[in-house]
Amino acid sequence: MTARTDVFAAQMAALGLGTRPQSLINGELVDGTGDAITLIDPYTEQNLSQYPDAGAALAKEACLAAQAAQVEWVTMSGAARGQVMQEIARAVLANAEPLATVEALVAGKPIRDCRVEVTKVAEMFAYYGGWADKIHGEVIPVPSGHLNYTKREPLGVVFQITPWNAPIFTGGWQIAPAIATGNGVVIKPSELTPVTTVALVYLAEQVGLPKGLVNVLCGLGPTAGQAAIEHQAVRKVIFVGSPETGRVVATAAAKALKPAVLELGGKSANIVFDDANLKHACLGAQAAIFSGAGQSCVAGSRLLVQRSVHAELVEMLTNGMNEIKLGDPLDEATEVGPISNASQFAHVSDMVARAMSDGASVLSRDTTPDKGFFVPPTILNGLSNIDHAVQTEIFGPVVAAIPFDTEEEAIALANGTDFGLAGAVWTADVGRAHRVADQVRAGTFWINSYKAIHVSSPFGGSLNSGFGRSSGTDALMEYTSAKSVWLDSAPTPRIAFGYVS
Ligand code: NAD
């Protein structure tokens, strides 16, 4: 074993897990029987582990386990469910270091980012644990005089599919509201980064989460994923990932007449006006596209800059990207790690090559580490808003810088893609800030800020960025449905041969 596989094994052992990913079904860690999947450390490009795809058979077991456990879970009081969730939040914090270390190794994300994301997972369980006994309907003053009230009921079993860019964060983000509202869960993390989702649920079970309520499938989308979408127990599909796979998942869900939430990609506009504090705007632009090596759905991948300050801001950003500390995700000082996997590395590299052939002048950081899937922070200059690299999600540390002249033009450029996930504006003019925030199509919009998120605030997109909402009270609505109950309290029931008015 290499030193890194030793670290991996030790941290997995600290979490009570072995060195290969196993699905967690009905409280048991089990192996699939499908094709072998290899986990590769994106910093060393060496194998970390190998495991068999869960396949359709384990998907079926997972759905049945969730269905059985949900029946019990929903009979518990909301307060009792909330207490279990507070225990989970504490357990996550108590195990933050091994969780963050395993995430850093497998996903190639800097350890400091992983620690923040693990803390956010604890926040998610604490936040939704607080909601568990506050989910109720309303009394509606219907004209007939009936007592009409609504209840928010759990859906039953939900199936969640998550990507590789923020695995434990995305897992906690979807599991917490689902169980707070009384649902059972089957979750399939990306086959490339499954272990922290297994670790999270395994930990949760040690502190009171009923076994089988949340089941984790370690495996592939077309096998385990499709089987779970189609399983009769599953009532809703929540997908976080690319628009291309989102289409496949939504189609499969629609064929089975199941609703879906799609949290997809973006091509978010980060708009800088000439009255902005350029130092702040530059720091914001760096964070927007270079943090996480740009592997963020809300990455500010289109930097729209008012022409009078365009050259100055691009120069500041070029200087800034040379200061960023690239390196080993396990190194405390590392600010940006490698691209998370070989296929994404090839995609980002191809996109930069194509942008060059489309006429982009490329400003790239001078140096990158000599091993690992590193793409240097890169600025594409000279492209227009209709070019391929400006219209397509790159999901890497690559930003297209585009000049504009007027507020109207900035808004038109911002809205000139098929996405609608996020955006930002940097300006000292508060009226303009509001006008731009109103008119840019985005589920999340920042003013003189970027990437501020919290579990209490709704998140989601439109068009190719998907539909439905996660976080906040909106997620409580996504994971419940309304039942309307009518009680006739009149001395003589008001029965009509048709509608009762
Ligand atoms: P992806 O679409 O390739 O995979 C996402 C998940 O879908 C994985 O678990 C994968 O195994 C599964 N999958 C693949 N084929 C499937 C099938 N036929 N049936 C069922 N499941 C299937 O996405 P990715 O490359 O892992 O992640 C990057 C993408 O995720 C980017 O587009 C990014 O913008 C998006 N993303 C969106 C958000 C958001 O909240 N909007 C958050 C994070 C990432």
Side-chain angles (χ1 to χ4, degrees):
M1 287 210 288
T2 65
R4 290 176 82 85
T5 50
D6 284 348
V7 174
F8 179 66
Q11 300 302 315
M12 291 287 278
L15 294 163
L17 302 172
T19 52
R20 69 175 183 283
Q22 291 181 290
S23 296
L24 181 56
I25 296 173
N26 217 7
E28 301 292 327
L29 291 164
V30 287
D31 288 313
T33 51
D35 292 345
I37 301 167
T38 304
L39 296 189
I40 294 184
D41 175 344
Y43 180 65
T44 62
E45 303 178 44
Q46 304 290 313
N47 288 6
L48 265 182
S49 184
Q50 203 177 52
Y51 70 103
D53 174 21
L58 285 192
K60 183 177 167 197
E61 283 182 33
C63 295
L64 291 174
Q67 190 174 33
Q70 191 263 340
V71 174
E72 298 291 319
W73 180 243
V74 82
T75 60
M76 285 169 64
S77 70
R81 291 202 304 262
Q83 275 163 17
V84 171
M85 294 186 68
Q86 302 300 340
E87 289 298 332
I88 297 172
R90 283 189 274 275
V92 168
L93 288 179
N95 290 276
E97 213 43 36
L99 288 170
T101 308
V102 168
E103 192 86 312
L105 270 167
V106 178
K109 193 166 226 178
I111 183 84
R112 52 196 254 172
D113 293 356
C114 296
R115 288 191 185 116
V116 173
E117 292 187 2
V118 168
T119 307
K120 286 194 176 288
V121 170
E123 266 178 26
M124 291 162 187
F125 281 92
Y127 173 80
Y128 283 112
W131 270 113
D133 62 354
K134 300 171 191 71
I135 299 161
H136 48 68
E138 48 192 1
V139 176
I140 300 170
V142 290
S144 64
H146 287 79
L147 170 62
N148 177 237
Y149 61 91
T150 61
K151 295 174 72 186
R152 300 283 331 169
E153 296 190 325
L155 305 177
V157 176
V158 294
F159 177 44
Q160 305 169 337
I161 305 173
T162 58
W164 46 258
N165 65 315
I168 193 169
F169 177 94
T170 320
W173 192 41
Q174 296 303 335
I175 293 169
I179 63 174
T181 44
N183 296 284
V185 174
V186 177
I187 181 165
K188 196 204 80 58
S190 167
E191 64 277 12
L192 302 172
T193 53
V195 283
T196 47
T197 307
V198 178
L200 170 64
V201 179
Y202 192 69
L203 270 177
E205 288 177 351
Q206 317 302 309
V207 295
L209 184 76
K211 292 187 174 167
L213 188 72
V214 182
N215 303 273
V216 188
L217 287 172
C218 292
L220 301 169
T223 53
Q226 287 292 316
I229 294 171
E230 288 161 17
H231 194 276
Q232 52 80 21
V234 167
R235 297 295 170 84
K236 188 165 187 173
V237 179
I238 293 84
F239 173 80
V240 187
S242 64
E244 296 71 29
T245 313
R247 235 176 232 113
V248 175
V249 166
T251 303
K255 274 192 183 144
L257 287 184
K258 295 175 186 181
V261 168
L262 299 184
E263 295 282 5
L264 309 178
K267 198 73 197 177
S268 301
N270 190 14
I271 307 168
V272 182
F273 283 93
D274 60 6
D275 62 351
N277 178 324
L278 282 196
K279 190 168 164 238
H280 293 172
C282 180
L283 290 171
Q286 284 195 56
I289 189 64
F290 300 141
S291 70
Q295 300 165 110
S296 162
C297 54
V298 295
S301 50
R302 290 183 302 142
L303 182 62
L304 310 181
V305 192
Q306 202 152 24
R307 198 174 301 276
S308 50
V309 293
H310 182 264
E312 186 182 353
L313 188 65
V314 168
E315 190 185 344
M316 288 167 76
L317 195 58
T318 309
N319 293 337
M321 73 190 182
N322 282 315
E323 301 297 314
I324 296 170
K325 294 187 179 64
L326 265 62
D328 183 348
L330 290 185
D331 186 334
E332 301 285 334
T334 295
E335 293 171 323
V336 171
I339 297 291
S340 192
N341 56 75
S343 132
Q344 184 61 18
F345 176 67
H347 167 71
V348 178
S349 308
D350 288 351
M351 289 293 291
V352 174
R354 171 143 183 204
M356 287 171 84
S357 72
D358 284 346
S361 65
V362 174
L363 295 165
S364 272
R365 179 196 162 89
D366 310 333
T367 55
T368 51
D370 52 13
K371 62 178 173 185
F373 301 134
F374 282 93
V375 171
T378 297
I379 303 168
L380 304 176
N381 248 326
L383 292 178
S384 87
N385 208 48
I386 55 170
D387 280 315
H388 183 70
V390 188
Q391 288 290 319
T392 311
E393 189 179 41
I394 297 178
F395 218 56
V398 182
V399 63
I402 296 177
F404 68 84
D405 292 301
T406 64
E407 183 178 316
E408 292 69 29
E409 189 189 357
I411 292 164
L413 288 170
N415 288 335
T417 72
D418 292 332
F419 293 99
L421 191 61
V425 65
W426 299 82
T427 176
D429 179 339
V430 75
R432 169 186 278 160
H434 279 289
R435 288 193 298 276
V436 176
D438 277 352
Q439 291 177 69
V440 171
R441 186 183 60 245
T444 299
F445 197 81
W446 295 285
I447 297 171
N448 294 334
S449 186
Y450 211 99
K451 266 196 178 175
I453 52 162
H454 191 258
V455 61
S456 56
S457 185
F459 185 90
S462 60
L463 299 182
N464 284 1
S465 297
F467 44 76
R469 287 293 178 271
S470 299
S471 291
T473 52
D474 288 59
L476 299 174
M477 298 297 113
E478 294 285 2
Y479 282 110
T480 54
S481 61
K483 175 183 275 180
S484 173
V485 181
W486 297 69
L487 182 148
D488 193 347
S489 56
T492 309
R494 288 161 286 190
I495 298 169
F497 192 66
Y499 296 114
V500 175
S501 53

